[in-house]
Amino acid sequence: MIIVSVKYMLLSDEQKNEVAYFCKKMIDMENKSRREGILALEEDIDNLYEDEANGVSELSKKFLVTLMKLMVDGREREEIEMIGRNHMEYSADTEFQKFCLEIILTGVVSIQAGQSPYLMEQIFLSYVGFDGREDFLNRSKIELDY
């Protein structure tokens, strides 16, 4: 297991924006999958390649697309986690990259499990801590459907 220790409030603005971007993206996909089913996410996955979000790393984007494709393909949670952890170990060079990939892996597994968007939001908030909560919510502009 990879231990990631990053203090959210010590991240740069660009890094905080990247974390918020991926959390928002995954909550939006969770909402859609709950309404329309996991297969409805195929178009969203293809659009991730074309998304021109400023400051978002290609590594994080590729990681999300890879895991989402595995999920839509019907792979088991254990397979997705193993592949995700391998990518984290061998592709991420910095603690921040590992932090982002850990959040993405958690989000994909949450979508696959059909967890509520509220629970997913709480999981993401646990990564940023109580001191980063307000900043994270302002950056992510998460709009929940409940």
Side-chain angles (χ1 to χ4, degrees):
M1 176 171 219
I2 298 170
I3 307 285
V4 180
S5 177
V6 171
K7 181 93 168 136
Y8 175 82
M9 291 306 291
L10 299 179
L11 297 175
S12 69
D13 280 342
E14 186 175 279
Q15 290 170 326
K16 289 177 186 175
N17 288 337
E18 181 167 344
V19 169
Y21 167 82
F22 283 109
C23 291
K24 168 94 169 88
K25 197 57 102 172
M26 286 183 290
I27 287 175
D28 289 347
M29 288 190 283
E30 172 64 15
N31 281 321
K32 184 174 184 176
S33 74
R34 287 172 61 96
R35 283 190 316 270
E36 302 173 32
I38 285 182
L39 292 178
L41 298 177
E42 286 180 308
E43 183 180 328
D44 294 18
I45 294 167
D46 293 338
N47 290 339
L48 285 170
Y49 281 123
E50 299 164 11
D51 196 345
E52 296 293 328
N54 291 334
V56 174
S57 76
E58 285 301 311
L59 172 63
S60 295
K61 210 185 285 191
K62 288 177 185 175
F63 186 73
L64 176 57
V65 167
T66 298
L67 297 185
M68 292 296 291
K69 283 184 175 184
L70 290 167
M71 181 193 68
V72 168
D73 192 41
R75 300 291 100 204
E76 297 291 326
R77 175 189 177 132
E78 294 79 17
E79 295 171 304
I80 294 170
E81 286 183 330
M82 179 197 62
I83 291 167
R85 299 237 176 258
N86 285 345
H87 279 298
M88 287 171 64
E89 181 68 29
Y90 300 110
S91 298
D93 295 330
T94 68
E95 287 299 307
F96 172 70
Q97 287 175 334
K98 289 179 183 175
F99 178 67
C100 281
L101 300 186
E102 179 69 37
I103 289 173
I104 291 168
L105 177 58
T106 300
V108 171
V109 170
S110 295
I111 293 169
Q112 183 188 39
Q115 293 177 341
S116 75
Y118 176 75
L119 178 59
M120 186 182 279
E121 177 192 45
Q122 293 306 309
I123 291 168
F124 291 150
L125 286 170
S126 74
Y127 279 101
V128 302
F130 289 114
D131 59 342
R133 181 183 182 95
E134 193 72 29
D135 179 79
F136 172 78
L137 289 172
N138 287 335
R139 287 174 192 276
S140 65
K141 297 177 179 53
I142 293 173
E143 297 172 17
L144 299 172
D145 284 354
Y146 55 85

